[in-house]
């Protein structure tokens, strides 16, 4: 038996708007622009993707699952994401080597420390 990770589903009040935000944040491509099933991927034929589906309610609690990203330059990437509309959030992380941000609908994600120079 084998499994392939196809996508992560993100519940959203406005799937197309949030999907386009993540498309810009990640530099991915839109593979389905249907407002009820908006999907982005790293490339049209590359998995996994992010699928944004509509829900009537706003997010009300901490995510049970979140994405972590490892940039070349953490501080520059955090500044870029903040410029796109992300916001810093404190989930009790203290002063670690990663930064916790939220997307425009409040979904947490982490920007980890940069890879060591090597």
């Amino acid at each position: 038996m084998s499994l392939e990770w196809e996508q992560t589903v993100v519940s959203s009040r406005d799937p197309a708007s949030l999907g386009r935000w993540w498309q810009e944040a990640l530099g991915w491509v839109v593979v389905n622009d249907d407002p009820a099933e908006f999907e982005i991927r790293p490339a049209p034929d590359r998995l996994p993707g992010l699928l944004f589906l509509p829900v009537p309610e706003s997010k009300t609690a901490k995510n049970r699952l979140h994405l972590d990203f490892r940039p070349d330059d953490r501080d520059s990437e955090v500044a870029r994401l903040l410029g796109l509309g992300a916001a810093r959030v404190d989930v009790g992380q203290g002063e670690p080597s990663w930064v916790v941000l939220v997307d425009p609908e409040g979904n947490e994600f982490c920007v980890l420390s940069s890879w060591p120079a090597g």
Side-chain angles (χ1 to χ4, degrees):
M1 175 165 32
S2 126
L3 293 172
E4 182 176 9
W5 177 17
E6 182 159 329
Q7 60 204 4
T8 298
V9 176
V10 180
S11 297
S12 173
R13 295 282 311 251
D14 185 346
S17 178
L18 188 61
R20 289 197 190 287
W21 187 89
W22 277 102
Q23 174 203 8
E24 187 171 355
L26 297 173
W28 287 11
V29 297
V30 175
V31 295
N32 184 356
D33 64 359
D34 180 330
E37 291 187 355
F38 194 92
E39 185 178 1
I40 63 172
R41 293 184 185 172
D45 58 350
R46 198 165 145 223
L47 298 173
L50 291 175
L51 176 64
F52 299 86
L53 299 177
V55 294
E57 69 277 353
S58 297
K59 181 179 171 292
T60 58
K62 181 180 178 205
N63 293 7
R64 300 287 300 263
L65 172 75
H66 71 261
L67 303 174
D68 286 349
F69 299 99
R70 175 93 52 194
D72 292 332
D73 180 334
R74 186 196 67 192
D75 295 339
S76 293
E77 194 59 31
V78 167
R80 185 183 74 82
L81 292 164
L82 291 171
L84 291 176
R88 290 180 182 265
V89 66
D90 183 353
V91 294
Q93 70 268 25
E95 293 295 327
S97 60
W98 64 88
V99 176
V100 182
L101 300 175
V102 292
D103 69 18
E105 287 199 16
N107 299 298
E108 297 98 2
F109 62 98
C110 294
V111 180
L112 306 175
S113 61
S114 306
W115 287 109

